[in-house]
Amino acid sequence: MAKKITIGMRGKIVLVSVISIVLLVGITILSSCNTVKRSAPEQYLNDYVNVFAGNATVGHTSPCATTPFGMVKVGPESGLTSWKYCAGYQYTDTELYGFSQNRLNGTGCADLGDLHLFPFSGDWTKAEYKSAYNKNTEKGEPGYYTVRLEDAKVNAEMTCTPHVSIERFSFDDPTSANLLIDFQSGIIWDEKGFHKKIVSATQNFVDPYHITGNANTEAWAERWYYYDIEFDAPYTIKQELPLRDENEKAPRYILTFKLANKQPLNVKISISKKSIENAITNIEKEMPNWDFDQVKDKTQNSWNEVLNRINVNADDEHKMLFYSSMYRLFEQPENISDVNETPFYSTLSLWDTFRAAHPLYTITSPENVNDFVNSMLDQYDKQGYLPIWPLWGYDTNTMIANHAVPVIVDAYLKGFNGFDANRAYEAIKTTLTVNHVDANWDLYNQYGYWPLDNIDQSASRTLECSYDDYCAALMAQKLGHKEDYEFFLNRSNNYKNIWDSSNMLMRAKDKNGKWREPFSGFDYYVPNTDREKRDFTEGNSWQYTWHVMQDIPGLIELFGGNDKFCEALDKFFTVSHNYENPKDIPSDVTGLIGQYCQGNEPSHHVAYLYTLAGQPWKTQQLINQICKTRYNNGVDGLCGNEDCGQMSAWYIFSVLGFYPVNPCGGEYILGAPQIEGASIDLGNGKTFTMKANNFGEKNIYVASVSLNGKEITDWKIMHQDIMNGGEIVFNMTDKRP
């Protein structure tokens, strides 16, 4: 049979803006080896990964099967059309709509969910195509997912390679095996958007074993994808279902298969950003046969290799917490290029991940860092400014500032040389000086801050842009661009222009230099604007005041010295506020300790500021508290959106005993380890070991710490100290120093 169906017209680009936040502090320069040499895995660590952690409430994670940095994330869908279902799944749901080939990991925005499948035995009589499922049969491991669909009378299994999924469906009645393919379906904000998501679509029914096609979608980003679907048994088209809404542009088909007794149906699906031909090539190169178990084993081995890059000495509970975090960290960025192309990484949640995830990649996955940077530079060539939040190579322009800048500069200062430094600096300078989306630099340079009457979230934008400028200054300095260095360094001090000494808080002001009135440090939204305007991105003044990561000494000086700074921190971690309406608190603000918000990224460095102000024991106590109370191995184990690995990166660093308060340049501030020890395979033939002497439940403080036998008194180590290999030893105690 040969049937071709073309539906719809290409639509206009839709870009969805959300919001963002800030950070600041630091300095340093280092070098790092870009070659990779690792030992063979010593343990099978996949058993310590709980892929269901964070699958309920606000974590927005999924038990999908995927590979490290893989494009495919094939897994279940229990919902598609609300913020709750940004990953298409909530563990507590009792029914599944089926399975799709990709999704996002822990984001606060919705997209993907392409090529939806729903297998079922016999005739379907229910109004909706969804099935109750047996929780006892639902199992997930790195690279593998399986579940029993009770109403559909099917056992479903799935695994994948980086670009190709394979799904194995075992029907109770193989002689009446059916498969619904929904080309319209996808993960999106609401029901109305669901029916409009597909702008145009083409399906090519090539032969009884083969369907190809493409689709143009508009959700968080506008994008095109191309696919190749292959079956190991011949199909016939049983029925084309009616459209559910007049706005739908893609059909739904029920295919039927005649299978032998106990014969499962295997389905391979490859998705390409470029072409049908590339999608076909992906299958030919990555999955040439139909051996499901072989694919599963290979994918699970790839995960075990990644997890073995850090071996921890801990009890089983803490091992599971740690390796589940490692797993989520390596789910992205995604290499969205095809097997015959140079790697191109997207799904870069840079507003989140520049803080800890990307610094952690420079330690745990240095072989990928140059490709991350080159991907950002390639996108700069395409759009004229560095990416802000790129999805599938299309910039969503979500969040604020441009935190590709610190990621690139951090890589450069750490000695990564697999990209053109001059090209990278040109991209940074252009991004930070030439007007583009939400970046009117002429206005910013005129006032020295973003005026509240010209732009939303003006205070947090000022703070975050100050940090990006600091990073640009470091690269300009090293490259010998003296004037640029002075320009960016001077502009990195713009944070001081929104400091209100009367309130001892950061605050928005207008073009005339007048402060926002009325003002409360607790407000997330501008009063009397029906929650439509804000001065701070997903936060309030209390939470953003500490976002001067490039100049903590300068911030301490504004407070009047270490003692007053720590007094303000004490209040920050204890003060609460009663809001008349729960809607006055954004959904992103979760995991509160006082005003500290572990569930959202702007607070992630703040617990470590006590150490920089001379009271390290308070940092140590807080790190212990946060790790114990804001992370667990349950389906509600994350107190906020996972945000593409950032929540997990914070946990990994903090458990190991150090954290990049200033995430550009390679300085790590010491906290207190939460496990007895760890060994990091650095990929350069060397190992960095952490040991916590006298480790115990009550011994949460650090009496002393040494690096390679030499005592550390300034509570910091450098990236090169780690990459040189060696041992850091914490001597723990139950007594506050």
Side-chain angles (χ1 to χ4, degrees):
M1 88 184 63
K3 184 179 181 183
K4 183 173 182 178
I5 303 173
T6 305
I7 304 172
M9 298 291 293
R10 178 171 178 143
K12 297 179 181 178
I13 295 177
V14 174
L15 298 174
V16 180
S17 278
V18 184
I19 16 195
S20 178
I21 259 157
V22 88
L23 283 86
L24 311 70
V25 170
I27 199 156
T28 55
I29 303 177
L30 330 153
S31 62
S32 172
C33 179
N34 296 337
T35 59
V36 174
K37 178 183 178 182
R38 288 197 176 89
S39 304
E42 296 180 0
Q43 308 176 60
Y44 190 75
L45 297 175
N46 290 9
D47 290 341
Y48 292 105
V49 173
N50 178 12
V51 299
F52 295 100
N55 285 186
T57 64
V58 298
H60 292 185
T61 61
S62 164
C64 63
T66 189
T67 62
F69 300 137
M71 183 180 188
V72 167
K73 289 177 171 56
V74 56
E77 292 183 331
S78 64
L80 298 167
T81 55
S82 72
W83 183 80
K84 177 181 178 180
Y85 291 111
C86 287
Y89 178 85
Q90 285 282 326
Y91 182 86
T92 54
D93 290 340
T94 58
E95 295 179 305
L96 294 179
Y97 286 91
F99 313 97
S100 62
Q101 313 312 307
N102 50 20
R103 68 243 315 115
L104 293 162
N105 173 33
T107 61
C109 293
D111 208 330
L112 305 182
D114 300 325
L115 299 174
H116 175 96
L117 307 182
F118 179 75
F120 60 95
S121 296
D123 294 328
W124 191 258
T125 58
K126 297 179 69 173
E128 286 190 276
Y129 287 89
K130 62 180 180 179
S131 175
Y133 66 104
N134 188 332
K135 267 295 179 191
N136 293 328
T137 68
E138 187 183 42
K139 301 185 185 303
E141 305 167 4
Y144 176 71
Y145 175 83
T146 183
V147 70
R148 163 75 178 176
L149 301 179
E150 294 292 353
D151 298 333
K153 299 177 182 178
V154 174
N155 295 324
E157 300 173 87
M158 49 212 68
T159 188
C160 64
T161 59
H163 299 88
V164 185
S165 68
I166 181 168
E167 293 157 79
R168 182 163 66 187
F169 302 125
S170 298
F171 298 84
D172 286 6
D173 182 4
T175 65
S176 183
N178 300 291
L179 183 67
L180 166 66
I181 304 184
D182 189 339
F183 293 101
Q184 175 70 37
S185 184
I187 300 169
I188 198 168
W189 289 107
D190 53 32
E191 188 74 22
K192 184 178 179 180
F194 177 87
H195 299 300
K196 292 183 176 181
K197 181 175 183 179
I198 302 296
V199 178
S200 66
T202 300
Q203 300 85 41
N204 309 307
F205 293 81
V206 179
D207 58 48
Y209 295 86
H210 197 197
I211 303 172
T212 65
N214 61 43
N216 175 208
T217 75
E218 285 184 354
W220 189 12
E222 187 204 29
R223 61 193 174 88
W224 281 88
Y225 69 86
Y226 303 81
Y227 58 86
D228 177 30
I229 305 174
E230 298 183 7
F231 308 93
D232 69 345
Y235 67 84
T236 57
I237 297 177
K238 183 176 182 179
Q239 183 182 3
E240 180 178 353
L241 298 175
L243 299 179
R244 290 155 294 196
D245 184 275
E246 62 182 5
N247 292 300
E248 292 192 351
K249 296 294 192 297
R252 295 177 295 159
Y253 290 99
I254 295 178
L255 309 182
T256 189
F257 303 81
K258 300 295 184 183
L259 304 174
N261 186 35
K262 296 185 179 180
Q263 177 189 355
L265 173 67
N266 287 285
V267 185
K268 296 180 191 176
I269 301 181
S270 169
I271 297 180
S272 168
K273 185 178 179 291
K274 293 289 183 66
S275 68
I276 291 172
E277 292 73 22
N278 278 15
I280 293 171
T281 300
N282 289 340
I283 290 182
E284 291 174 347
K285 298 294 186 182
E286 286 189 353
M287 203 182 295
N289 57 42
W290 290 96
D291 192 333
F292 181 98
D293 294 325
Q294 183 184 66
V295 174
K296 174 189 170 186
D297 289 346
K298 184 176 180 180
T299 296
Q300 294 198 312
N301 287 338
S302 71
W303 275 113
N304 190 49
E305 185 279 321
V306 165
L307 299 175
N308 267 275
R309 295 178 188 181
I310 304 180
N311 279 280
V312 300
N313 181 8
D315 58 35
D316 286 351
E317 178 186 358
H318 286 91
K319 279 186 177 181
M320 184 163 284
L321 275 165
F322 190 89
Y323 289 115
S324 297
S325 298
M326 282 277 287
Y327 171 79
R328 292 189 296 268
L329 174 71
F330 279 89
E331 285 194 63
Q332 67 287 297
E334 297 174 349
N335 178 13
I336 64 169
S337 63
D338 297 308
V339 294
N340 54 357
E341 297 179 319
T342 300
F344 181 90
Y345 288 88
S346 196
T347 313
L348 293 163
S349 185
L350 293 165
W351 180 81
D352 305 294
T353 57
F354 88 95
R355 305 165 194 265
H358 278 282
L360 190 52
Y361 293 136
T362 67
I363 297 171
T364 60
S365 196
E367 63 267 41
N368 296 102
V369 171
N370 288 317
D371 286 336
F372 293 164
V373 173
N374 281 317
S375 298
M376 295 180 219
L377 297 181
D378 288 345
Q379 185 141 355
Y380 162 78
D381 290 340
K382 173 184 173 183
Q383 66 188 35
Y385 56 94
L386 286 167
I388 297 171
W389 208 124
L391 173 63
W392 267 53
Y394 304 94
D395 206 333
T396 66
N397 292 293
T398 300
M399 309 311 284
I400 61 172
N402 193 303
H403 297 317
V405 173
V407 174
I408 294 171
V409 176
D410 184 51
Y412 174 66
L413 296 179
K414 288 175 177 174
F416 289 92
N417 55 20
F419 57 91
D420 185 330
N422 291 314
R423 176 191 177 208
Y425 180 71
E426 177 190 0
I428 289 169
K429 181 177 178 179
T430 300
T431 298
L432 298 183
T433 58
V434 177
N435 296 348
H436 60 274
V437 177
D438 288 337
N440 184 341
W441 296 116
D442 296 333
L443 181 73
Y444 188 60
N445 291 335
Q446 178 181 354
Y447 292 100
Y449 57 90
W450 292 110
L452 64 86
D453 30 11
N454 286 86
I455 193 166
D456 195 37
Q457 304 157 59
S458 62
S460 54
R461 288 180 190 273
T462 298
L463 291 165
E464 297 209 36
C465 289
S466 296
Y467 184 73
D468 290 345
D469 284 338
Y470 158 80
C471 299
L474 293 183
M475 192 164 185
Q477 182 185 43
K478 190 166 185 182
L479 287 171
H481 301 303
K482 184 178 179 181
E483 289 185 9
D484 289 355
Y485 164 71
E486 292 174 350
F487 170 80
F488 285 120
L489 188 65
N490 179 65
R491 211 169 67 170
S492 74
N493 286 309
N494 279 356
Y495 75 88
K496 297 176 182 178
N497 297 333
I498 62 166
W499 168 257
D500 180 3
S501 58
S502 64
N503 288 289
M504 306 293 276
L505 293 170
M506 299 295 177
R507 189 172 174 187
K509 61 169 66 169
D510 66 17
K511 289 190 292 186
N512 297 316
K514 295 182 179 179
W515 298 114
R516 166 81 73 188
E517 293 289 356
F519 171 76
S520 164
F522 300 102
D523 287 338
Y524 292 99
Y525 299 97
V526 175
N528 306 316
T529 65
D530 198 26
R531 303 182 196 90
E532 291 183 356
K533 294 183 179 180
R534 15 185 158 191
D535 292 333
F536 297 93
T537 303
E538 298 181 5
N540 60 25
S541 178
W542 265 109
Q543 290 155 2
Y544 256 102
T545 289
W546 319 99
H547 283 273
V548 188
M549 300 167 346
Q550 77 276 19
D551 188 16
I552 294 301
L555 182 62
I556 291 173
E557 185 178 347
L558 290 179
F559 273 96
N562 284 347
D563 291 343
K564 291 184 177 180
F565 182 78
C566 289
E567 288 173 9
L569 280 173
D570 291 343
K571 185 176 181 181
F572 174 67
F573 280 100
T574 55
V575 68
S576 60
H577 183 74
N578 293 322
Y579 294 88
E580 293 183 4
N581 190 329
K583 293 183 179 180
D584 290 336
I585 305 176
S587 57
D588 309 90
V589 177
T590 52
L592 291 171
I593 300 174
Q595 289 302 295
Y596 175 85
C597 177
Q598 180 63 24
N600 207 15
E601 281 67 24
S603 289
H604 275 188
H605 67 292
V606 183
Y608 287 88
L609 298 186
Y610 279 113
T611 295
L612 293 170
Q615 296 184 11
W617 60 89
K618 290 184 178 178
T619 291
Q620 295 155 19
Q621 184 275 323
L622 279 165
I623 297 306
N624 180 265
Q625 179 183 355
I626 295 167
C627 287
K628 283 182 177 178
T629 64
R630 298 302 184 266
Y631 292 83
N632 66 67
N633 287 318
V635 295
D636 60 349
L638 295 170
C639 66
N641 295 163
E642 166 63 15
D643 285 325
C644 294
Q646 171 58 28
M647 282 284 286
S648 292
W650 185 95
Y651 182 82
I652 293 167
F653 266 127
S654 294
V655 163
L656 294 174
F658 51 94
Y659 187 82
V661 170
N662 173 7
C664 181
E667 179 184 84
Y668 303 94
I669 303 304
L670 301 184
Q674 303 301 305
I675 55 176
E676 193 168 351
S679 177
I680 306 173
D681 186 335
L682 299 169
N684 58 6
K686 299 177 182 179
T687 299
F688 185 74
T689 301
M690 183 279 290
K691 184 178 180 181
N693 288 332
N694 200 31
F695 179 82
E697 182 71 18
K698 296 181 179 180
N699 297 343
I700 66 172
Y701 299 108
V702 178
S704 63
V705 58
S706 63
L707 177 67
N708 299 327
K710 183 178 180 181
E711 185 175 2
I712 298 173
T713 57
D714 59 1
W715 297 98
K716 66 181 67 171
I717 58 173
M718 303 303 294
H719 183 76
Q720 200 60 45
D721 294 330
I722 297 171
M723 301 310 292
N724 286 341
E727 182 180 55
I728 187 169
V729 177
F730 294 85
N731 295 306
M732 309 301 292
T733 178
D734 61 349
K735 296 178 176 59
R736 198 198 85 181

